Amino acid sequence: MFRSWSRLWQRCEEGLLVVLMAGMVLVSFAQIALRNLCSYSLPWAEPLVQVLLLWATLTGALVATRQSRHIHIDLLLRLAPERVRPVLQFGGAAASALICAMLAWVATRFAIGEAGAGTTGVFGVAVWKLQLGFPLAFGAMALRFAGQAMAAARVLFRQPAR
């Protein structure tokens, strides 16, 4: 059951990423074509592309985290002896989970502050709604890193003492 939900979530992430990227390309192409052919510009195109880029970046970070293809420094991990690697993997994943959880908290507080300010963005949508990608993405990444930390802990505690 969990695997089917996990696969569905993965498809949703990847589908959202495709839609966001396609939207950016189409709006940008339309903006360039209208400028060159008709000397006309869509006033909402650039703010929309900025929002799409933000959400695409955050969604891409989620996909990269799921696939363990995110940027990480693993020099110590490569140089460490085999028996120490699970400790380093646990520490790195746990620290990443903690940092992402803190970023999700800060982003949530920021969005709440924006909701109080009442500012609007593209198409009159409240700015805080456009910024919800930050707490959602960082919260999901925190959960993923916590899962990686638990997997590393299982490996760590399965190994016999030497």
Side-chain angles (χ1 to χ4, degrees):
M1 176 79 167
F2 177 73
R3 287 184 188 215
S4 63
W5 281 104
S6 178
R7 273 188 247 123
L8 177 65
W9 183 256
Q10 289 175 13
R11 287 186 183 141
C12 288
E13 281 178 352
E14 291 166 0
L16 178 61
L17 192 54
V18 167
V19 168
L20 292 168
M21 296 297 291
M24 280 191 321
V25 169
L26 289 175
V27 171
S28 297
F29 177 78
Q31 180 76 331
I32 291 168
L34 285 172
R35 278 186 189 163
N36 289 332
L37 299 175
C38 304
S39 297
Y40 178 75
S41 179
L42 300 171
W44 48 264
E46 286 187 42
L48 178 61
V49 170
Q50 289 173 356
V51 170
L52 293 174
L53 177 63
L54 170 70
W55 279 77
T57 303
L58 293 169
T59 306
L62 276 175
V63 171
T65 304
R66 182 190 62 205
Q67 296 174 347
S68 292
R69 298 182 77 191
H70 54 283
I71 295 174
H72 51 88
I73 302 169
D74 61 351
L75 179 64
L76 270 177
L77 195 60
R78 290 176 189 231
L79 297 176
E82 191 70 32
R83 61 187 167 161
V84 178
R85 287 182 186 166
V87 174
L88 294 175
Q89 287 172 328
F90 171 78
S96 297
L98 180 63
I99 290 167
C100 284
M102 290 186 326
L103 286 171
W105 171 254
V106 170
T108 301
R109 301 296 307 156
F110 184 73
I112 290 169
E114 283 292 330
T119 54
T120 58
V122 66
F123 298 126
V125 176
V127 169
W128 71 270
K129 291 178 183 177
L130 300 173
Q131 294 173 343
L132 281 179
F134 286 109
L136 293 173
F138 283 120
M141 284 190 281
L143 292 174
R144 286 208 172 126
F145 282 124
Q148 291 174 11
M150 290 190 308
R154 283 193 297 271
V155 169
L156 182 64
F157 292 116
R158 257 190 237 151
Q159 292 180 349
R162 295 181 188 203

